[in-house]
Amino acid sequence: MNTVACELFAAATCNMACAYCYIPKTPTMGELHRRVTSELSSGRWIETLKQVVGEQLEHIGFWGTEPTLILDFVTPQVPDILGTFPNLKNVGFSTNLLQRPEVICDFARALSAHTDKVKLDVQVSLDGPEWVTDENRHPGAVAAITANLRRLFEDLGSGGPGITVAMRFKPTLTVENMRAMDDQRIGEWFSFFDGLLDMYAVTVRDKEHLQFAPEVTPTFVVPGRYTSDDGRDVAAFFERVWRLEQRHQRKRMFKYIRGSLNQYVKRFQRLVRYHGDFMRHPSMMTCSAGDTNMGLGLARVHICHRTFMLDQPEYVASVERTLGNWDVSLFEQGRISIANRFIADADAKRELARLWYVMRNYHDFYTLQVSYGVALLKELAAAGQVSPVYGECEELAALLALFVATAFSCPAENLLNTGCLHFSPVSLFRLLGNGAFESILEQYLAGERAAA
């Protein structure tokens, strides 16, 4: 294994409280955040990361909660980061962009002052118009995010940074959001993002250095607790999105949005396109966590950012005392102690070797994951929790199981929900196995026929 990427634990508090966030919010997060910022400010994390990965590091991502809360701690360290990791190609993070766009601009300029070879990736987590985002997050969020997005366009898009800043949207929809979106609302949702892309086109002069991906598709809340009824509602939502895409293809309804309007169709296309290579190199279709990528917490190495908070006893105890967090059950069931066995001290070479060895089983072999998925789908079909076809056609069940194991690859989430790296949550099979996957197949085949 050649680890070339790191997700850095860079923040433990957030300026939002999204309804679907997988990080339960408790008062202890403030103290944990102070420990994180102390580690960042001291620069110790740079030496720890070099100790674990060496000088071969190519990608750094700032993870945890909201990275704009800590960028000003990291900006002065840019020369040390670049000097320590000469192969660095990419620095990135996902932001809700609710506040402090200036720290993003300052960080981009700091990179630009010392290199023209590192790209800055900025993912903007925005769920849609006010009737989605303000509902999922808090009132006034869309107005603030839109204003800050314009500030970024004006500041970074006028020929300022010499590096490439690549931006994109990451919308998340709950099943409740999807149920509420009829054909008209779905059109309004995509038009909202098309309008923001128009703002980019009009405002940004230097599109070579400030780039914005002209694609936007809704994604599921993952992890989530999904029922069979949720799966049927998602299937209906996919059909509505497909009708809109067909109208868009005929009438060019959106000026800037390109590509498929359903990300999961694109994920299936990728699986088909590279199926030959996948058979020889299955890790190309799995999440990079514990493979080419690792997470660095407070002097401890994680599979990925998913468990950053879960090796902190005070935080775990506070979650167990807090009602109202949708995933408290994971803590009550003892899943968190399972996760702790997949976290190692950064200087414990024996434990790190054991962790990477165990993770190789996940990335290099997939037949157990598919066999488990097929068996589970047969049982769910017999219980009436997925479409009967998955109990009747083993080939279709195997295809869905493979799709779940690749398109939704998340070893940490598997571990937390099922206790096993290789077993995907039952919830995902209910979500996709009640018409949604059949819709994905139908849309894929229609695209192939149109291209023939």
Side-chain angles (χ1 to χ4, degrees):
M1 180 187 66
N2 186 27
T3 302
V4 296
C6 171
E7 296 175 344
L8 180 68
F9 190 10
T13 60
C14 190
N15 53 3
M16 276 191 174
C18 301
Y20 50 73
C21 184
Y22 64 82
I23 302 176
K25 305 300 189 295
T26 78
T28 62
M29 294 173 72
E31 176 57 33
L32 183 55
H33 186 68
R34 283 187 284 273
R35 290 174 55 197
V36 171
T37 53
S38 174
E39 183 77 9
L40 289 175
S41 301
S42 69
R44 290 188 297 265
W45 68 274
I46 300 175
E47 190 56 38
T48 302
L49 184 54
K50 181 181 178 182
Q51 172 188 325
V52 175
V53 180
E55 296 182 355
Q56 63 194 16
L57 191 74
E58 298 179 3
H59 309 276
I60 296 177
F62 300 128
W63 287 85
T65 48
E66 173 51 40
T68 57
L69 301 179
I70 57 85
L71 273 183
D72 44 1
F73 292 103
V74 181
T75 297
Q77 300 169 2
V78 164
D80 291 338
I81 296 170
L82 296 174
T84 305
F85 304 110
N87 296 326
L88 194 65
K89 299 177 181 177
N90 177 282
V91 179
F93 53 84
S94 180
T95 174
N96 58 42
L97 206 59
L98 183 68
Q99 297 171 320
R100 308 183 78 205
E102 66 276 5
V103 299
I104 300 176
C105 299
D106 292 342
F107 185 72
R109 291 194 187 93
L111 283 172
S112 183
H114 295 88
T115 182
D116 60 358
K117 296 181 173 60
V118 175
K119 181 173 75 170
L120 176 60
D121 271 323
V122 180
Q123 177 177 273
V124 179
S125 179
L126 177 62
D127 298 340
E130 289 87 346
W131 46 268
V132 177
T133 300
D134 288 12
E135 177 70 22
N136 288 349
R137 302 185 178 200
H138 67 68
V142 167
I145 294 167
T146 301
N148 290 332
L149 191 60
R150 182 182 293 277
R151 286 187 60 185
L152 282 182
F153 290 165
E154 292 172 346
D155 202 333
L156 296 179
S158 56
I163 61 169
T164 297
V165 180
M167 301 183 67
R168 63 187 182 278
F169 289 121
K170 169 61 169 67
T172 301
L173 295 181
T174 66
V175 173
E176 290 73 22
N177 295 149
M178 294 179 183
R179 288 191 186 105
M181 292 170 66
D182 57 15
D183 287 19
Q184 179 179 340
R185 275 285 167 101
I186 290 174
E188 292 174 4
W189 190 87
F190 281 99
S191 294
F192 167 78
F193 287 103
D194 204 50
L196 295 179
L197 291 170
D198 184 62
M199 182 172 71
Y200 163 80
V202 171
T203 308
V204 174
R205 297 200 303 272
D206 185 0
K207 293 183 175 61
E208 177 184 356
H209 288 102
L210 180 57
Q211 303 169 358
F212 212 111
E215 295 184 354
V216 56
T217 65
T219 59
F220 295 130
V221 174
V222 179
R225 287 180 174 176
Y226 295 114
T227 67
S228 301
D229 286 340
D230 292 335
R232 285 184 277 272
D233 289 336
V234 167
F237 175 77
F238 277 4
E239 290 299 321
R240 294 194 292 273
V241 172
W242 174 232
R243 288 199 296 269
L244 177 67
E245 183 169 334
Q246 290 173 307
R247 292 199 300 274
H248 175 49
Q249 290 170 352
R250 294 193 304 268
K251 302 179 180 178
R252 188 66 184 276
M253 298 178 64
F254 310 113
K255 187 175 181 181
Y256 299 99
I257 293 175
R258 300 286 185 271
S260 173
L261 303 186
N262 188 331
Q263 179 177 135
Y264 301 100
V265 175
K266 291 190 286 188
R267 293 187 189 187
F268 185 78
Q269 288 171 336
R270 181 173 181 268
L271 178 61
V272 175
R273 183 178 302 120
Y274 297 108
H275 73 279
D277 294 325
F278 168 65
M279 300 294 285
R280 295 187 295 271
H281 307 290
S283 62
M284 70 179 290
M285 286 290 181
T286 57
C287 167
S288 61
D291 182 28
T292 57
N293 178 48
M294 46 77 77
L296 179 63
L298 293 170
R300 304 194 76 196
V301 174
H302 298 245
I303 297 174
C304 67
H305 66 275
R306 180 66 179 92
T307 58
F308 277 160
M309 313 281 285
L310 304 184
D311 63 338
Q312 304 300 318
E314 299 85 357
Y315 173 74
V316 172
S318 71
V319 172
E320 292 173 341
R321 294 191 302 267
T322 303
L323 300 177
N325 292 303
W326 65 266
D327 54 352
V328 166
S329 61
L330 297 178
F331 293 75
E332 294 172 342
Q333 295 166 20
R335 300 296 186 196
I336 306 310
S337 63
I338 294 174
N340 286 340
R341 295 207 296 269
F342 287 80
I343 304 169
D345 291 340
D347 57 358
K349 293 184 179 180
R350 184 183 181 88
E351 278 301 294
L352 286 174
R354 182 194 64 81
L355 178 58
W356 299 143
Y357 176 80
V358 171
M359 292 306 300
R360 287 262 54 85
N361 285 272
Y362 175 81
H363 292 289
D364 290 345
F365 306 99
Y366 65 92
T367 52
L368 174 60
Q369 298 174 50
V370 174
S371 298
Y372 156 80
V374 171
L376 180 61
L377 281 165
K378 287 182 177 180
E379 184 173 348
L380 291 173
Q385 295 190 37
V386 298
S387 301
V389 67
Y390 293 106
E392 301 162 357
C393 179
E394 187 160 319
E395 290 79 7
L396 185 61
L399 193 58
L400 174 52
L402 183 60
F403 182 67
V404 169
T406 54
F408 292 85
S409 168
C410 185
E413 205 55 53
N414 292 357
L415 188 66
L416 289 169
N417 280 275
T418 69
C420 178
L421 286 173
H422 307 280
F423 294 170
S424 301
V426 177
S427 180
L428 285 175
F429 291 95
R430 292 195 190 102
L431 181 68
L432 295 167
N434 284 282
F437 186 61
E438 293 98 307
S439 180
I440 290 170
L441 285 176
E442 180 185 0
Q443 293 178 44
Y444 166 76
L445 292 172
E448 291 297 297
R449 287 192 294 269

